[in-house]
Structures are given as C-alpha cells and as structure tokens.
Amino acid sequence: MQNYHGTCCITGMQIPKLLIASHIKPWKASTPNEKTAASNGLLLNAFHDRVFDQGLISIDDDYRIMVNHDKVRHSDINDR
C-alpha cells in the first residue's frame, strides 16, 4: 500500500477496501525473499487483481496492460 500510495497502479482507484497487494511472481514460485519483497508486488483493484492472477492480463514495465488473447476473445466490449 505504501509503495503505491494507496492507489491502484492501473486505474488510480483509492478505495482501500477494493485494493489488493498482488504478487507479480506467484507466491508458490517465489523464493522466501521474493515472497516479502515490495518489488514483487503491485497494488491492484479487486477486478484487475483477479484477471492478473488468472493470466488474462499482464503488465509491462511501463504499467501498460497486455491482454492474453489466447484466453480473452476479441469483442467490442472485451476490447474496451
């Protein structure tokens, strides 16, 4: 929460009850140091945390969202 000043790194949302500290490298695949390293985390709102965790999106170093089109089909609503 502190590293992102209580703000979702994708949307800018600042509603604490809807923000989740998400691991970039999954917990089960992380070393003990990575599990607690702030650099292995993103602060996301609940929706984006879920789609990130499910591999539907990824985020590049400039915080641009990359959609996994193998898992998310193209449609007008999905593309928005």
Side-chain angles (χ1 to χ4, degrees):
M1 289 287 278
Q2 287 179 325
N3 285 354
Y4 288 91
H5 308 287
T7 303
C8 171
C9 68
I10 293 177
T11 65
M13 179 185 290
Q14 295 180 322
I15 304 171
K17 290 183 179 185
L18 296 177
L19 298 176
I20 300 169
S22 305
H23 287 92
I24 297 168
K25 186 174 180 182
W27 181 268
K28 64 183 176 187
S30 297
T31 67
N33 286 341
E34 291 170 330
K35 288 179 179 181
T36 59
S39 60
N40 185 33
L42 298 170
L43 188 61
L44 299 171
N45 68 69
F47 173 79
H48 286 98
D49 173 69
R50 177 72 179 198
V51 296
F52 180 76
D53 192 48
Q54 296 294 313
L56 302 177
I57 65 168
S58 186
I59 302 170
D60 71 12
D61 291 339
D62 294 318
Y63 298 105
R64 290 180 294 217
I65 298 172
M66 299 179 299
V67 176
N68 181 343
H69 290 291
D70 291 336
K71 295 183 177 184
V72 179
R73 69 178 175 83
H74 285 286
S75 72
D76 289 339
I77 194 70
N78 287 349
D79 289 350
R80 273 185 266 148

